[in-house]
Amino acid sequence: MFASNLDTALVYLKGVGPKRAELLQKELGISTYEQLLDHYPFRYIDRTRFYKINELHPDMPLVQVIGRITSKETIGEKHKKRIVAKFTDDTGTMDLVWFQSLKWVEDHVMRGSLYIAFGKPTLFNNGFSISHPDLENYPRQTGITGNLTLQPIYNSTEKLKKSFLDSKGIQKLIHHIIELHINEIRETLPAYILEKYKLISRKDALIHIHFPANASMLQHAERRLKFEELFFIQLQLLHNKQLRSLKFKGALFNAVGERVNTFYNTMLPFALTNAQKRVIKEIRLDTQRGSQMNRLIQGDVGSGKTVVALMSMLLANDNGYQACMMAPTEILARQHYQSLVDLLKGELVNVAILTGNTTKKQRTILHQQLEAGEVDILVGTHALIEDKVQFKNLGLVVIDEQHRFGVEQRAKLWRKNVVPPHILVMTATPIPRTLAMTLYGDLDVSVIDELPVGRKPIETLHLFEGQRLRMFGFMKQEIAKGRQVYIVYPLIRESEKLDLLHLEAGVEQMRHQFPLPEYQISIVHGQMPNADKQYEMQRFIEGKSQIMVATTVIEVGVNVPNASVMIIENAERFGLSQLHQLRGRVGRGAEQSFCILMSGNKLGPNSKLRLDTMVKTNNGFEISEIDLQLRGPGDITGTQQSGVLELKVANLAKDQIILQEARNTVIELFEKDAMLELPENALLKRFLDKKNRGIAFDKIS
């Protein structure tokens, strides 16, 4: 295959040159013609409509005003320095304000000249202003590309703008490429897929995403590019999954033996829910197939994931294999260890724990026992990954809170045995379906969507600052019944920017309302030494203190069945999934539990929606869908996974149908042509060969 002109370095494009090429690479990661074509507009604006100053309204999104600069002055010192220009038309005067690129404004924005100012109008001191307006000379130059009612607007940066690569500059460069090389754009999807979903060609899609002829063509272009983007993510994920099942044989767990049966028939403290039974059955089938299991278990806080994990580990033990369970923090690892020991009553199997705090002497003994096969189940933190930790025959790895472990860390566990162990991943963060399909598309997903019998849903209330006394009264009532209370703060010390009721002031207020010796208060935050944290947690767990004041360190994992009240201060500052996780710390016993969301008296629309959602529902999946719409996928997934999700056009909250179509198409494709050998799939085979050249198999996961 010959190289395409689209692979040419940007430095050779008319109007770029070495300095701008370097800037585009640094600021936007764009270095070839093709990459610039894939830099899509993030919105389109109607550049045919002009407003008068007296027609402006603060709710308007973006407007264009024609006027003259009548004065220009620099105000303020150092970082507060700004330039304010008076901008006048025949109906009034407004301000144009710049906080950055002041030198450029000084040199290029001229007093007395006529301009078209474009931007978002805001009302300030009874007058309108636009910050950092787009300015064009009036009358506008002719020969503007594309459709004026749908003018593309591109992401740029301050540094690029200084080199005249603002949205208009980028638009110009893209127009050059399209004019010169549009016929070299190659199709990436097979013809039968285009036909099935009535998708336009890649060439037409690129023309109309940048310079749409009309709204209908823009829609066609977006649909085509979204489908393609999601399709190739699914193609890669499902291809990797298929390769893994062909390449990696898995340990066979054929027997349900004495340990599983004894535990199930005589030791299980409660009946399993139908959801738990279904998931155990899915794991059982996976481990009889002879290929390596990779399964994600999603279940809300308190849905009984630990019991499912334990029964899976006992299944491994029954078949002569060891199992290990890995947690992201020491507190959580200790808690899992304790839960397993309590459930097993010290019988059936030998359970051990390994964390950063295990002494050297204990480690030496533990390493010997592991290699001799005397430890059946090992619980621990990242310490389990260390090369020194060797098992006799590891058959199953359970990982808690998936998104805190990177792919690399998982791969290390695979190498702990000749036959890679089965992997079971548990998460208490409900992930919206679309996100699960994209992030964990290569894992099989099980959902535990029932709570154990007898668990009462947590009652959630939202109180404003003015109702604080009501909250104190409620706390006293619950403590009088012998219950315990969590109070969570978003910060430890007041920061200049966030005027929050921070933890230290909160503790003072609590000590005043709940004086010694009648009340004991434990304090836990991230800046404390580990030993102090453990001590304070332990006091609370043993019931020696009735109130635990903490920052979000308690979000994951502290299990105190007697704690029945969770109070979240400045709840409007937390994201939805975090609020849901925190609420899940209570409601662990048989008593009715409560969550009180305290907030300031003024709330923005998003904060209000978050708090209303919490009051309305306890369903983690419902909450996660709303969270996805509010925050977007990147924030929910954390950094490890963000690489999968640098989506250019698709939006997981809005494009669920397209994602489902793309995934189904890939599934059908692999059913018909597993190795992509049919001539009509040659394009796709080429794509995967190119992608997989750089991937070692142990990285695939």
Side-chain angles (χ1 to χ4, degrees):
M1 278 176 64
F2 61 89
S4 152
N5 279 316
L6 293 171
D7 297 332
T8 308
L10 269 181
V11 68
Y12 300 112
L13 182 65
K14 183 184 168 193
V16 179
K19 189 171 170 240
R20 284 177 165 189
E22 193 185 336
L23 258 182
L24 282 162
Q25 166 58 43
K26 256 194 205 144
E27 296 290 295
L28 299 175
I30 293 174
S31 52
T32 66
Y33 289 13
E34 183 151 32
Q35 287 172 341
L36 190 57
L37 275 185
D38 288 343
H39 183 61
Y40 306 131
F42 67 95
R43 64 159 186 260
Y44 301 83
I45 49 165
D46 184 349
R47 283 294 180 99
T48 52
R49 166 86 208 255
F50 294 97
Y51 290 85
K52 295 288 188 190
I53 290 174
N54 68 354
E55 293 178 303
L56 297 182
H57 189 277
D59 292 340
M60 286 177 164
L62 295 156
V63 296
Q64 291 188 114
V65 182
I66 300 170
R68 191 180 297 280
I69 302 268
T70 51
S71 74
K72 187 173 82 170
E73 62 173 328
T74 304
I75 299 172
E77 288 293 315
K78 289 187 182 157
H79 63 282
K80 292 191 174 166
K81 203 167 167 185
R82 59 196 184 280
I83 292 179
V84 180
K86 293 286 177 212
F87 190 63
T88 307
D89 70 3
D90 54 353
T91 67
T93 296
M94 64 185 294
D95 286 345
L96 303 180
V97 188
W98 290 268
F99 298 93
Q100 287 165 321
S101 312
L102 302 189
K103 173 97 177 70
W104 184 89
V105 177
E106 204 54 72
D107 297 345
H108 295 89
V109 177
M110 298 303 168
R111 202 178 284 113
S113 298
L114 271 172
Y115 290 102
I116 300 168
F118 171 79
K120 162 107 183 85
T122 43
L123 191 59
F124 181 67
N125 286 347
N126 294 329
F128 279 96
S129 65
I130 295 179
S131 295
H132 288 267
D134 259 7
L135 283 189
E136 275 181 272
N137 290 323
Y138 182 80
R140 187 183 266 149
Q141 67 199 63
T142 51
I144 285 190
T145 356
N147 173 351
L148 270 184
T149 57
L150 289 166
Q151 271 277 289
I153 298 292
Y154 297 92
N155 269 325
S156 182
T157 66
E158 280 309 315
K159 283 184 180 165
L160 286 171
K161 284 174 188 166
K162 281 179 187 159
S163 290
F164 301 103
L165 287 173
D166 56 358
S167 175
K168 271 200 293 296
I170 291 171
Q171 179 184 328
K172 214 169 170 179
L173 298 181
I174 289 173
H175 188 247
H176 278 327
I177 298 174
I178 287 182
E179 269 188 339
L180 295 168
H181 303 292
I182 192 63
N183 291 323
E184 294 172 41
I185 289 170
R186 297 214 183 86
E187 191 45 76
T188 52
L189 292 172
Y192 68 91
I193 291 180
L194 296 181
E195 211 169 296
K196 181 177 178 182
Y197 291 107
K198 310 220 174 342
L199 299 171
I200 62 174
S201 70
R202 181 168 169 82
K203 173 178 146 185
D204 287 343
L206 284 171
I207 294 172
H208 291 287
I209 194 87
H210 292 293
F211 304 112
N214 51 47
S216 158
M217 282 314 292
L218 175 60
Q219 269 179 326
H220 281 301
E222 283 180 338
R223 178 170 156 71
R224 153 70 211 227
L225 293 169
K226 284 175 176 181
F227 183 91
E228 174 182 316
E229 187 165 48
L230 296 168
F231 174 84
F232 281 113
I233 288 175
Q234 294 302 321
L235 185 72
Q236 236 183 309
L237 285 168
L238 292 168
H239 175 66
N240 288 347
K241 180 178 175 181
Q242 185 170 280
L243 280 184
R244 208 169 43 202
S245 63
L246 294 172
K247 182 177 168 74
F248 293 122
K249 296 287 163 256
L252 282 170
F253 295 174
N254 283 327
V256 175
E258 182 196 342
R259 289 162 178 165
V260 172
N261 286 322
T262 308
F263 177 74
Y264 183 71
N265 294 322
T266 64
M267 301 168 86
L268 199 61
F270 43 76
L272 293 178
T273 63
N274 289 330
Q276 284 172 311
K277 286 179 187 166
R278 185 186 67 238
V279 174
I280 291 170
K281 194 173 173 186
E282 287 167 348
I283 292 166
R284 176 99 180 75
L285 289 170
D286 278 355
T287 52
Q288 288 176 307
R289 287 206 176 100
S291 59
Q292 189 209 14
M293 168 177 80
N294 277 277
R295 186 167 283 281
L296 171 72
I297 299 184
Q298 280 185 271
D300 238 329
V301 176
S303 59
K305 293 184 294 298
T306 309
V307 167
V308 171
L310 174 57
M311 289 189 70
S312 311
M313 292 193 283
L314 291 174
L315 178 67
N317 296 158
D318 270 339
N319 287 277
Y321 290 94
Q322 292 164 298
C324 74
M325 188 174 198
M326 190 155 83
T329 64
E330 171 131 1
I331 289 174
L332 200 49
R334 290 202 172 281
Q335 197 155 327
H336 278 312
Y337 173 71
Q338 210 39 63
S339 305
L340 297 182
V341 170
D342 294 348
L343 282 164
L344 292 164
K345 306 184 175 71
E347 298 171 34
L348 291 182
V349 293
N350 182 9
V351 185
I353 182 165
L354 172 67
T355 68
N357 282 341
T358 309
T359 64
K360 197 168 177 194
K361 190 178 170 188
Q362 289 169 320
R363 270 169 198 263
T364 313
I365 298 169
L366 188 59
H367 287 170
Q368 286 166 351
Q369 290 178 327
L370 270 178
E371 289 182 51
E374 291 161 16
V375 171
D376 302 297
I377 295 174
L378 178 64
V379 182
T381 53
H382 293 69
L384 296 186
I385 301 177
E386 291 167 9
D387 295 335
K388 296 192 290 287
V389 182
Q390 295 295 330
F391 292 82
K392 182 182 182 189
N393 195 8
L394 180 64
L396 172 71
V397 176
V398 179
I399 301 177
D400 190 19
E401 284 304 327
Q402 151 72 9
H403 54 279
R404 309 209 173 186
F405 290 105
V407 173
E408 291 289 325
Q409 291 165 312
R410 271 190 283 162
K412 277 190 174 172
L413 282 164
W414 286 33
R415 302 189 196 110
K416 296 275 183 190
N417 203 352
V418 186
V419 177
H422 295 298
I423 303 269
L424 191 60
V425 170
M426 304 195 298
T427 175
T429 313
I431 305 160
R433 267 188 71 248
T434 49
L435 210 51
M437 275 196 286
T438 316
L439 277 181
Y440 307 117
D442 61 334
L443 300 179
D444 298 301
V445 179
S446 297
V447 177
I448 304 182
D449 45 12
E450 285 175 73
L451 284 181
V453 183
R455 280 276 167 95
K456 298 188 176 84
I458 300 162
E459 271 184 42
T460 306
L461 278 91
H462 171 208
L463 299 181
F464 292 99
E465 193 46 55
Q467 298 167 293
R468 185 163 288 280
L469 289 175
R470 188 176 151 194
M471 175 195 99
F472 288 142
F474 182 71
M475 282 172 69
K476 284 177 179 157
Q477 257 175 5
E478 286 295 300
I479 291 171
K481 290 182 197 163
R483 310 266 174 271
Q484 289 164 286
V485 180
Y486 290 111
I487 302 173
V488 179
Y489 287 86
L491 279 187
I492 297 170
R493 279 187 190 81
E494 199 165 2
S495 81
E496 288 175 3
K497 291 190 189 123
L498 299 174
D499 167 45
L500 295 185
L501 227 178
H502 54 295
L503 189 118
E504 288 169 349
V507 172
E508 282 312 304
Q509 196 180 28
M510 283 299 144
R511 287 200 170 120
H512 178 69
Q513 289 287 339
F514 297 89
L516 290 162
E518 195 184 340
Y519 298 99
Q520 293 283 339
I521 299 174
S522 284
I523 299 164
V524 178
H525 59 71
Q527 313 289 302
M528 289 164 74
N530 245 342
D532 296 0
K533 248 193 280 195
Q534 294 286 353
Y535 172 74
E536 288 290 340
M537 291 264 196
Q538 212 43 51
R539 266 184 29 158
F540 189 68
I541 289 166
E542 289 166 13
K544 290 176 182 163
S545 58
Q546 301 94 329
I547 299 168
M548 153 94 76
V549 179
T551 54
T552 48
V553 283
I554 63 154
E555 178 188 338
V556 176
V558 186
N559 188 0
V560 184
N562 191 44
S564 65
V565 182
M566 166 63 72
I567 292 166
I568 304 173
E569 291 285 359
N570 298 102
E572 73 273 26
R573 305 274 180 177
F574 290 97
L576 253 178
S577 61
Q578 211 178 7
L579 288 170
H580 181 63
Q581 283 277 354
L582 286 167
R583 171 167 67 184
R585 296 293 111 230
V586 294
R588 302 244 154 173
E591 304 307 324
Q592 177 63 57
S593 288
F594 303 89
C595 174
I596 298 177
L597 306 170
M598 296 299 296
S599 79
N601 295 324
K602 280 186 182 169
L603 288 181
N606 275 3
S607 304
K608 189 169 178 348
L609 175 61
R610 283 202 299 270
L611 300 185
D612 289 350
T613 303
M614 288 293 295
V615 172
K616 192 179 80 204
T617 178
N618 270 300
N619 180 329
F621 289 94
E622 212 175 300
I623 286 169
S624 72
E625 292 290 350
I626 294 170
D627 199 24
L628 178 64
Q629 284 159 19
L630 284 174
R631 287 200 296 170
D635 298 327
I636 293 182
T637 57
T639 48
Q640 273 103 335
Q641 307 289 358
S642 62
V644 188
L645 281 181
E646 283 155 10
L647 297 172
K648 291 194 171 79
V649 271
N651 174 329
L652 291 182
K654 296 178 185 148
D655 299 322
Q656 302 190 4
I657 294 169
I658 299 179
L659 173 59
Q660 195 63 63
E661 283 174 353
R663 188 170 171 90
N664 292 345
T665 307
V666 176
I667 292 169
E668 282 165 28
L669 177 88
F670 282 134
E671 278 169 4
K672 282 186 196 147
D673 183 15
M675 302 319 282
L676 301 181
E677 284 157 346
L678 296 174
E680 62 262 38
N681 292 326
L683 275 177
L684 306 178
K685 189 166 174 54
R686 211 173 296 140
F687 166 83
L688 286 175
D689 288 347
K690 199 170 152 188
K691 279 280 182 206
N692 288 343
R693 236 172 268 155
I695 297 182
F697 274 105
D698 57 17
K699 302 276 195 304
I700 295 172
S701 169

